[in-house]
Amino acid sequence: MGLSSSQARLLDLTARMHQIEYKAAKLEAQKLQMANESTRVYEEYLEALDKTKIQYKVLTTDGSTTYQDITSYDDFLEAGYALDYNGTVYDGTTKTWNQLLSALGITTVSGNFETLITNIINSGEVTIVAAKSDGTFASESDSDFTDYETSVSTNTGLQEVSDEVALKKAEAQYEADMKKIDNKDTKFDTDLAALETERSAIKEEIDTLKTVASDNVERTFKLFS
């Protein structure tokens, strides 16, 4: 191969080497993005593990007791509880559930009801009020109002448990998301390995051409020395 041909080939290989290094850097950046995505998916899964729901105690037909999900505010009221917000007890008659949502500034409702009411109670903005013996609810103007204030942690008629349905959905979503991430990451590794093989081959050829060029120059100097 002549000197000019060798130089042209060297320039072509150098340009190709730069392209490979650019592609490799881009793939490495995408791998880093996948790592960040993996962290986000895992954090969402951990958040789902902490999801709970509040249930109320009911008496079954055989005389035993069990706990059920709160599927509506009527369930909560019928179980003997209401929510107080800023001095107003939302008893389902004079003040309704929708009015409570409006007072709390909740305009968009997503997800199921038990999750929503659990989040509202756990927000600390509302207080649970137990019904009187006649089924009505005291108001804050009543002298004995504090006697009816209660909480999930102190009232045996209420309990907070892990949301198993949400957990199973989160587990399925986590596995699906991680599978996609792993597949992408494996492809990135395969592409990077192919680029590294090509880079090594090009580097070897560049080194050979440089050696040949150096030998040609050395021989030329000897001829004219």
Side-chain angles (χ1 to χ4, degrees), residues 14-221:
T14 301
R16 179 57 185 159
M17 179 72 84
H18 288 319
Q19 291 176 352
I20 290 173
E21 289 173 348
Y22 171 76
K23 287 183 178 179
K26 188 175 180 180
L27 285 172
E28 288 291 355
Q30 289 175 312
K31 276 180 66 65
L32 179 59
Q33 184 177 356
M34 283 295 98
N36 294 335
E37 180 68 10
S38 177
T39 299
R40 181 192 64 78
V41 169
Y42 182 63
E43 288 175 348
E44 288 181 352
Y45 175 62
L46 290 181
E47 184 179 339
L49 292 180
D50 294 331
K51 284 188 176 180
T52 60
K53 58 183 176 181
I54 294 172
Q55 298 178 319
Y56 63 95
K57 184 187 290 185
V58 294
L59 185 67
T60 62
T61 55
D62 61 4
S64 61
T65 59
T66 187
Y67 287 87
Q68 291 185 357
D69 292 346
I70 306 170
T71 58
S72 70
Y73 197 59
D74 285 340
D75 284 349
F76 197 58
L77 293 170
E78 289 175 11
Y81 305 99
L83 295 179
D84 173 274
Y85 175 66
N86 279 351
T88 299
V89 177
Y90 290 80
D91 57 6
T93 53
T94 58
K95 292 294 182 180
T96 66
W97 169 252
N98 287 334
Q99 288 174 311
L100 173 58
L101 292 181
S102 179
L104 289 168
I106 300 175
T107 56
T108 302
V109 177
S110 60
N112 53 37
F113 186 85
E114 54 261 33
T115 298
L116 177 59
I117 194 169
T118 296
N119 290 339
I120 288 174
I121 291 172
N122 288 338
S123 70
E125 294 186 85
V126 298
T127 302
I128 300 174
V129 179
K132 297 179 182 180
S133 58
D134 62 1
T136 62
F137 294 95
S139 64
E140 287 199 7
S141 60
D142 296 333
S143 59
D144 60 347
F145 178 75
T146 55
D147 294 338
Y148 297 99
E149 290 182 303
T150 188
S151 67
V152 177
S153 60
T154 60
N155 193 301
T156 58
L158 298 169
Q159 71 171 7
E160 189 168 6
V161 297
S162 297
D163 191 336
E164 297 297 332
V165 174
L167 180 57
K168 288 180 180 179
K169 287 182 180 179
E171 287 176 345
Q173 187 63 50
Y174 175 74
E175 291 176 0
D177 289 343
M178 288 305 299
K179 186 176 182 180
K180 290 179 182 178
I181 291 172
D182 288 342
N183 288 340
K184 286 183 180 180
D185 196 51
T186 298
K187 186 178 186 306
F188 290 154
D189 286 339
T190 301
D191 291 344
L192 281 169
L195 288 174
E196 177 57 26
T197 298
E198 186 176 0
R199 190 195 72 82
S200 296
I202 291 175
K203 184 178 183 304
E204 184 176 343
E205 186 175 353
I206 288 175
D207 290 342
T208 299
L209 288 173
K210 286 182 177 179
T211 299
V212 171
S214 177
D215 290 344
N216 286 338
V217 171
E218 185 177 345
R219 283 197 300 269
T220 301
F221 273 115

